[in-house]
Amino acid sequence: MDDLTMNIGPAGDGTMLEIGVLDMEGDDPVVIHAMPLRPKFHRLLR
């Protein structure tokens, strides 16, 4: 999907999350994926 953006970072309580958003730059973005950060993405935090 070309219009899917994956974001990783901390929630308000510090829990690391991964959030997938469709059409993030558009007028009506939609979250389609949200879960605790999986180990395979930890390398992206460095």
Side-chain angles (χ1 to χ4, degrees):
M1 291 183 182
D2 291 337
D3 58 349
L4 175 65
T5 302
M6 290 296 288
N7 296 294
I8 60 174
D13 67 358
T15 303
M16 295 303 291
L17 300 174
E18 57 186 68
I19 309 291
V21 183
L22 282 177
D23 196 27
M24 189 154 160
E25 301 298 324
D27 293 333
D28 195 22
V30 177
V31 173
I32 62 165
H33 172 86
M35 64 183 289
L37 186 65
R38 292 175 282 178
K40 70 179 186 177
F41 292 118
H42 288 188
R43 64 181 174 79
L44 298 173
L45 294 172
R46 296 189 190 118

